[in-house]
Amino acid sequence: MVQLPGGKFMMGTDAPDGRDGEGPIHEVTVKPFAIDIFPVTNQDFREFVREKKYRTEAEMFGWSFVFEDFVSSELRNKATQQMEGTFPKGDRAEDGFHGVSPVNAFPPQNSYGIYDLMGNVWEWTASPYQAAGQDMRVLRGASWIDTIDGSANHRARVTTRMGNTPDSASDNLGFRCASGVGRLPGEL
């Protein structure tokens, strides 16, 4: 984890194409915190599950994207046939990858050395998303199915955010660990 200083910053956008709570720009104050330099990968999570003998909710319901390599192709086909929605017509792999890229495939996107803050997977946050009558959390950063112009789904930019229910799962959702305490960059 890398320690980030607290302070005030301007969050959001005033762009006319802003949506899903991206704007208006407003001042936000955060306390110092630590955050992982990479999102948690499927391999990281798989190792955690095996070591701690953790049983995921997805396993309890019979399906998990994390464990799809352990599931028969018949079960995988049944589960994916039930998905609905409008999806991009194809992944052109313009970044060199089909779907999610390895977490260190591209250089850090900031001076703190934090990777993949935008465009690989939507990242869950602990922040509540204001929606009528539902428990939802903010997802931020867009994912591999989003584009710069938003023609495929959402606009891939740092202000992009949306809400989702905590029980949602997809191959374009992820998370990274954060804490109120961490090591300074020189201690890593």
Side-chain angles (χ1 to χ4, degrees):
M1 292 189 139
V2 62
Q3 182 75 35
L4 300 179
K8 295 179 181 187
F9 72 97
M10 301 307 290
M11 182 170 116
T13 181
D14 285 332
D17 60 354
R19 61 181 183 176
D20 295 324
E22 286 184 288
I25 292 177
H26 58 286
E27 186 175 275
V28 175
T29 302
V30 294
K31 296 178 182 177
F33 67 100
I35 191 166
D36 278 348
I37 61 171
F38 297 116
V40 173
T41 65
N42 286 344
Q43 180 179 343
D44 294 336
F45 190 65
R46 185 178 299 120
E47 289 171 8
F48 162 78
V49 167
R50 286 180 176 157
E51 181 183 321
K52 302 296 182 187
K53 301 191 181 351
Y54 180 80
R55 185 153 184 223
T56 67
E57 286 186 15
E59 288 177 290
M60 291 181 224
F61 294 113
W63 178 248
S64 171
F65 287 105
V66 172
F67 294 98
E68 69 180 63
D69 55 334
F70 300 120
V71 176
S72 71
S73 59
E74 179 183 349
L75 178 58
R76 186 167 40 251
N77 288 339
K78 281 183 187 176
T80 55
Q81 286 172 0
Q82 294 175 14
M83 293 181 184
E84 298 177 8
T86 303
F87 297 93
K89 295 194 178 5
D91 177 5
R92 296 185 298 225
E94 292 169 331
D95 62 357
F97 301 96
H98 285 287
V100 177
S101 64
V103 294
N104 61 352
F106 303 102
Q109 297 166 323
N110 53 69
S111 62
Y112 297 108
I114 302 172
Y115 293 74
D116 279 350
L117 287 171
M118 182 186 82
N120 200 14
V121 294
W122 284 96
E123 290 192 22
W124 287 103
T125 73
S127 300
Y129 187 80
Q130 303 304 320
Q134 282 189 307
D135 178 20
M136 298 180 85
R137 297 288 178 252
V138 171
L139 293 167
R140 55 142 324 273
S143 79
W144 62 271
I145 63 173
D146 300 304
T147 56
I148 291 172
D149 65 0
S151 61
N153 200 8
H154 291 272
R155 291 184 181 276
R157 58 185 176 196
V158 295
T159 58
T160 299
R161 51 182 272 142
M162 70 173 184
N164 214 333
T165 57
D167 60 350
S168 298
S170 178
D171 66 345
N172 71 328
L173 300 179
F175 67 98
R176 76 177 67 224
C177 297
S179 169
V181 179
R183 294 182 293 178
L184 296 172
E187 298 174 350
L188 296 175

